[in-house]
């Protein structure tokens, strides 16, 4: 069977922010949306591109790997996953928009080794891909960037209809969900917005194992320059006091909450 091989822009070992324990995170290139705060702009295009490194030297971003090669690479750290309750995380970009033959087969091969798999997703991808990968995935790090569809479209250039449908689908199928709320000061960190999110979760009987509050940061800003693109980001991190108000409210509503990934 011929597999359409995606580009990968990083394979990060010893990652501790992409799900439980110590993990290897595989960053797939290509994303169907454009979050205005994106800190990995080199992940957005599906093709290879040239980016300057920190020393000003041109580097090609994006490499193709055979499934065998990735399996070998992630397997070499199995002892760390076992000791820490970690594993492998598929991230991006948006991994779920890639060929299901590739990503599902990769998940199946890694899972067969007894290694846990998490999928980090923005929810904008074909539902059939979630359905196919579900049997091999231990949890989804699922972004719900804005509960309001118009705001979602204003800040990511795409509405949230598919995001909500896929989230409900995964929950109904029994998938484990770590819901990620990306918080931008004064835009979506107000309590009313969070209350609206909770109402929607409850109305739709969504089962969420944990809510991760992810405050905006600007760590990736310099990458736009290095890619020769204009950076139009003008966001602020929510105040700590506001984060704690949101955290307390969500805990009172019965959710396990963590600030950070
Ligand atoms: S979903 Fe992630 S990779 Fe895609 S544009 Fe948004 S922040 Fe960037």
């Amino acid at each position: 069977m011929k597999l359409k091989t995606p580009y990968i822009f990083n394979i990060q070992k010893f990652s501790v922010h992409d799900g439980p324990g110590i993990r290897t995170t595989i960053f797939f290139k290509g994303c169907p949306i454009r979050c205005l705060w994106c800190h990995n702009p080199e992940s957005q295009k599906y093709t290879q591109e040239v980016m300057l490194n920190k020393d000003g030297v041109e580097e090609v971003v994006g490499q193709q790997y055979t499934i065998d090669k990735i399996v070998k690479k992630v397997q070499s750290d199995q002892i760390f996953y076992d000791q820490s309750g970690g594993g492998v995380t598929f991230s991006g970009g948006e991994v779920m928009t890639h060929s299901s033959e590739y990503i599902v087969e990769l998940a199946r091969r890694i899972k067969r080794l007894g290694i846990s798999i998490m999928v980090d997703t923005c929810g904008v991808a074909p539902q059939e891909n979630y359905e196919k990968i579900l049997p091999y995935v231990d949890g989804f790090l699922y972004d719900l960037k804005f509960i309001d569809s118009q705001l979602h479209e204003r800040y990511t250039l795409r509405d949230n209809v598919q995001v909500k449908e896929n989230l409900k689908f995964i929950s109904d199928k029994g998938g484990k969900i770590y819901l990620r709320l990306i918080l931008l000061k004064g835009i979506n960190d107000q309590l009313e917005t969070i209350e609206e999110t909770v109402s929607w979760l409850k109305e739709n009987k969504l089962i969420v194992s944990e809510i991760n509050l992810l405050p905006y940061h600007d760590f990736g800003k310099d990458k736009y320059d290095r890619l020769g693109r204009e950076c139009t980001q003008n966001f602020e991190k929510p105040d700590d006091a506001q984060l704690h108000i949101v955290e307390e409210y969500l805990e009172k509503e019965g959710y396990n909450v963590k600030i950070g990934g």
Side-chain angles (χ1 to χ4, degrees):
M1 181 172 45
K2 190 166 183 289
L3 306 177
K4 192 165 176 268
T5 311
Y7 284 104
I8 287 170
F9 70 94
N10 192 10
I11 297 180
Q12 166 105 48
K13 289 179 165 235
F14 299 102
S15 166
V16 290
H17 297 293
D18 298 310
I22 295 173
R23 314 191 72 84
T24 297
T25 304
I26 305 169
F27 291 92
F28 290 81
K29 206 159 152 36
C31 184
I33 66 173
R34 291 289 178 269
C35 305
L36 299 184
W37 62 86
C38 183
H39 60 274
N40 279 332
E42 77 277 34
S43 73
Q44 293 175 343
K45 290 187 182 166
Y46 284 85
T47 49
Q48 280 183 319
E49 59 196 309
V50 172
M51 179 164 134
L52 299 180
N53 69 17
K54 298 225 173 201
D55 300 319
V57 178
E58 285 189 352
E59 278 180 356
V60 175
V61 181
Q63 268 189 63
Q64 288 174 310
Y65 294 82
T66 62
I67 287 177
D68 281 346
K69 196 160 179 188
I70 299 187
V71 171
K72 217 166 152 189
K73 218 172 167 77
V74 302
Q75 195 179 12
S76 63
D77 285 344
Q78 190 154 8
I79 187 165
F80 301 110
Y81 313 144
D82 292 348
Q83 284 172 353
S84 67
V88 172
T89 299
F90 293 0
S91 185
E94 180 45 69
V95 57
M96 296 306 297
T97 52
H98 286 289
S99 145
S100 63
E101 282 86 355
Y102 186 96
I103 56 171
V104 175
E105 178 61 8
L106 181 62
R108 193 186 69 79
R109 292 274 307 278
I110 294 173
K111 190 70 186 165
R112 205 169 60 181
L113 300 170
I115 298 174
S116 141
I117 297 176
M118 305 285 290
V119 169
D120 180 4
T121 179
C122 71
V124 181
Q127 195 162 95
E128 61 182 71
N129 281 4
Y130 293 99
E131 186 164 25
K132 287 181 190 161
I133 209 166
L134 252 162
Y136 312 108
V137 172
D138 297 278
F140 290 86
L141 306 171
Y142 199 106
D143 294 351
L144 182 56
K145 298 170 197 287
F146 295 91
I147 192 68
D148 180 277
S149 196
Q150 282 182 352
L151 282 180
H152 201 283
E153 188 159 357
R154 186 186 309 164
Y155 289 104
T156 73
L157 312 189
R158 201 56 182 263
D159 66 46
N160 69 9
V161 174
Q162 204 179 15
V163 178
K164 288 175 168 173
E165 281 171 4
N166 284 332
L167 182 57
K168 189 157 166 34
F169 176 79
I170 293 170
S171 174
D172 290 349
K173 292 276 177 188
K176 190 169 186 182
I177 296 167
Y178 296 72
L179 193 70
R180 305 194 129 194
L181 306 181
I182 289 90
L183 297 178
L184 310 161
K185 182 175 176 174
I187 296 175
N188 64 356
D189 68 338
Q190 301 93 331
L191 201 50
E192 307 85 75
T193 309
I194 308 298
E195 284 168 353
E196 207 185 314
T197 305
V198 167
S199 301
W200 182 80
L201 293 174
K202 292 196 170 174
E203 268 162 35
N204 287 280
K205 301 187 174 36
L206 278 150
I207 300 176
V208 171
S209 297
E210 190 173 285
I211 296 186
N212 300 147
L213 302 177
L214 306 182
Y216 164 76
H217 63 73
D218 64 2
F219 302 155
K221 257 183 157 175
D222 66 304
K223 291 184 182 175
Y224 287 84
D225 245 6
R226 293 197 272 125
L227 281 164
R229 290 191 218 159
E230 192 192 355
C231 177
T232 53
Q233 284 182 24
N234 191 17
F235 300 105
E236 282 178 63
K237 179 182 182 293
D239 300 327
D240 286 348
Q242 183 59 20
L243 276 178
H244 289 300
I245 290 171
V246 171
E247 182 186 26
E248 260 177 37
Y249 164 73
L250 289 170
E251 281 174 349
K252 224 168 56 209
E253 289 295 324
Y255 294 103
N256 298 315
V257 186
K258 196 166 120 194
I259 298 179

